[in-house]
Structures are given as structure tokens and as C-alpha cells.
Amino acid sequence: MRPRSLQLVIAFDTTAAALAFEAAAPAAGLTGRLIPVPTAITAGCGLAWRDDPASRNAARALLEQEGIAGASLYELVI
């Protein structure tokens, strides 16, 4: 079994928002990736961004810069 660790998870309301964030993330220095998650968590989208918790502020700034509304940031042990 893989060791668990604290991760930043960003849930998106729409697939378009998740893909827009994924496209803009490398330029912002974010190294995470999109992961599939149950749609009950992501309000129907089925995608979330997983990254190191230290990137929380950079991720929040990117969400604002790209005008991505409806994203929820969580820190989860996964």
C-alpha cells in the first residue's frame, strides 16, 4: 500500500474549468495533475487537481487570475 500524505485537492464545478486550470498550471509553476474523483465530490465534473499543500496560495492566485469560479480547495490525507 502506498504511504498516505497530506495533499491539496481542488474540486471544480465544470470540466471546462478543470481543463482551463490544467492548461494554465505549468506556467504558474504548479506541478500537480488532474485526477478522477467521484462526481458527488466535484459537483458533477468528475475531475480534481491534486498537488502539494505548499502550492495552495499559488493555486488560489491562479484560480483568480484565470477567472475560474466555483472551485473548492481542500487539504486531504490521501
Side-chain angles (χ1 to χ4, degrees), residues 6-24:
L6 186 64
Q7 296 288 314
L8 172 67
V9 176
I10 305 171
F12 300 94
D13 286 347
T14 66
T15 302
L19 295 176
F21 187 86
E22 180 186 39

Side-chain angles (χ1 to χ4, degrees), residues 8 10 21 24-25 27-31 49 51-66 73:
L8 172 67
I10 305 171
F21 187 86
L30 298 174
T31 58
W49 182 264
D51 210 337
D52 186 281
S55 65
R56 183 181 187 90
N57 290 336
R60 184 176 289 140
L62 181 60
L63 289 168
E64 290 177 15
Q65 174 186 331
E66 295 296 315
L73 282 77

Side-chain angles (χ1 to χ4, degrees), residues 17 25 28-29 33 41 53 59 63-64 72:
R33 64 186 178 101
I41 296 171
L63 289 168
E64 290 177 15
S72 302

